[in-house]
Amino acid sequence: MKRILTIIFAAVLLTACDIERLPYGSMASEQITNDPSASLGALMNGVYAQLKTWSDPMHRCGEYAGDNMMIRGSSTDAFYEFISFSRTPVNYRLQNFWDYGYKAVAQASNIIKMIEEGQGAEIDNQLGECYYIRGLMYFYFVRAYGRPYYQAPDKNLGVPIVNGTPDDIMGDMLLSDRATVKETYEQVISDLKKAESLMTINKGAAYASKGAAQAMLSRVYLYMSGTYENPNTENAQLAVDYATKVINSSEYTLLSRNDFMEYNTVVPENNDESIFVVKRMASEFSGYDHYYGVGGMYANIGGMGWGEMFASAKYIELLNETGRNDWRPDRKRIIDARAAFIEPTYEDKEVFRFIKQDSETVLNYAQLDVTRNGSAITCEEGEQTYTLTPVDEEQEIYSISYNGNTYTGVLDYFITLNRVYPQFYITKCSREGEDSHLHSPVISRLGEVYLNRAEAYAKLGQYAPALADLNTIRERSIIGGGYPSLDATDASEKIDKERQLELAYQAERSYDVFRNGKPLVRRYPGPQKQFEDIPATDFRVVYYVPQDAINSYPGTLTQNPTNNSGVIVN
């Protein structure tokens, strides 16, 4: 049976590494080696093509497991496991994440094996792109399937290191089990540093570049920098060094506030802040296939998209922390630029909206009809009338005494419901080139690099430069909203908050929470277990290795622990 599975795995590798490596079937490996410039471009297109399918589950398993969004109800789709933390090893979306990522690893590795360095800047640059993509895949794998780095990286398992098609693929091939988290990170760093050394040509954000490698290294070392309470200062300094290389390169520019509010609409090649994205084209979708893009779950635009996931009340509260963002069309006032990516679906009826506690474990929205009588404002629910007490009349924030509790809310227009939840649509993953849900998933942009450096500086105890970087991003979004100070007592809270605001809907949030040893807290309306906090030491913090991958693997492929007793923290 194992022999049969080995042949199946070999067939998968051959498909990924041989057939797709030669998309037109016109050149053998000997011809490629003899005339690399004639075919290397086509081979590279094949590598980048894998990222397109990979990027969809990459986004969902990274973002849905966080606290920036909520879903209207339970779902039979495999992605609901990401939201509910009901982990299983049989999940076709995680299988796609694994399969297409390893196809990219295999194809990149085979190009590296076939092509010699030193044949010119263009060929070396493309080899560097292969090293970048391979390192990128291993990093995204190890943070999804391997435990946070601060938790015993020399003991916890990462992912298998399989760099290309084995020479004896039809023989008695046995591959090694999963490397440790530490070994996987070493592979990531080795690939990204090699990429950095080879790439000298910047072809734009749709392609890997030296800046993309340096930006990713700043994030990798940040993930290795420990927690705020117990930092690894050597890795924090390396995160600072690589972030500084990107910032000082002058290759990238932070968008102005107004331009940033339209970040999602700008195609990558025209976006000065983008460092590397997985470029998508409208021609890759047909008709209503845009329903199945990343943005299709976050909004319905022009009749296209499911629109079943909305900005969480927690994220809305963060956006409103320095002043209420008013999305009403006739009174629109955006305080935090990040609020431009949220679009409530309004009806022309005034209500008072607040979040109420229906039971010990259930929070929900209430939207009560409003009556104005001079300066007195009341709202009704059934036969009951409630008088609103001003909290901030200018911003139309009021409190209500409701069922024995006092809640604070806002006067607003009625937001249409999906089941029982107001639709706070998210458009950050839509409208690229103003085309419905077209979106090129962002891997790195300059805004993140500043925040990487801010956190790394804070872990080094260098709070003045950390504050400067933090406020560079914060003041771009909130006019006059910069923090006056930063120190050991509040650095974690402020920096983590800014990362959540800035990097929302870029598949970063859940990893950011757990890598710093924090629990995931989701006390807001939605079908998730609202009062169950997920600690960073929970076995569900990482995903199971797909069972099909284990079944077909030629060798032992160890599964992740199925309960907390198998988790190694120290």
Side-chain angles (χ1 to χ4, degrees), residues 2-76:
K2 194 67 174 180
R3 173 68 177 170
I4 295 171
L5 294 176
T6 298
I7 293 171
I8 292 171
F9 181 74
V12 171
L13 279 180
L14 285 170
T15 300
C17 310
D18 235 8
I19 298 172
E20 293 178 13
R21 184 177 72 196
L22 303 173
Y24 307 112
S26 58
M27 302 186 75
S29 60
E30 293 81 6
Q31 292 173 289
I32 294 167
T33 304
N34 293 335
D35 187 12
S37 61
S39 57
L40 191 50
L43 303 188
M44 291 303 304
N45 288 341
V47 179
Y48 282 107
Q50 303 299 340
L51 302 188
K52 298 185 180 186
T53 306
W54 164 86
S55 65
D56 182 277
M58 175 277 290
H59 176 94
R60 297 181 198 274
C61 69
E63 192 62 48
Y64 294 2
D67 53 5
N68 295 323
M69 50 73 64
M70 53 85 62
I71 189 171
R72 67 171 188 164
S74 61
S75 173
T76 58

Side-chain angles (χ1 to χ4, degrees), residues 354-375:
F354 61 99
I355 293 174
K356 59 180 180 173
Q357 186 149 0
D358 283 343
S359 70
E360 289 185 2
T361 59
V362 177
L363 300 170
N364 209 341
Y365 286 97
Q367 297 189 104
L368 307 186
D369 291 345
V370 164
T371 299
R372 291 178 181 264
N373 185 5
S375 60

Side-chain angles (χ1 to χ4, degrees), residues 298-320:
Y298 290 145
N300 181 299
I301 297 175
M304 191 171 293
W306 306 105
E308 295 180 3
M309 294 179 177
F310 319 122
S312 70
K314 182 175 183 177
Y315 190 68
I316 297 294
E317 184 179 352
L318 282 180
L319 288 173
N320 288 333

Side-chain angles (χ1 to χ4, degrees), residues 16 125 130 166 264 299 391 405 433:
N125 201 84
C130 288
N264 58 311
V391 174
N405 294 301

Side-chain angles (χ1 to χ4, degrees), residues 8 28 78 135 189 224 240 247 294 349 358 405 442 476 483 533:
I8 292 171
I189 291 169
M224 299 170 66
V240 167
I247 292 166
V294 168
K349 178 175 68 170
D358 283 343
N405 294 301
V442 177
R476 189 256 298 267
Y483 293 115
D533 299 345

Side-chain angles (χ1 to χ4, degrees), residues 118-130:
Q119 300 184 66
E122 178 61 34
I123 291 175
D124 278 359
N125 201 84
Q126 289 174 309
L127 285 172
E129 293 173 60
C130 288

Side-chain angles (χ1 to χ4, degrees), residues 543-568:
Y543 294 104
Y544 287 127
V545 174
Q547 190 61 46
D548 282 355
I550 291 175
N551 292 344
S552 61
Y553 193 73
T556 298
L557 188 57
T558 302
Q559 184 57 277
N560 278 324
T562 57
N563 56 54
N564 285 330
S565 65
V567 174
I568 303 173

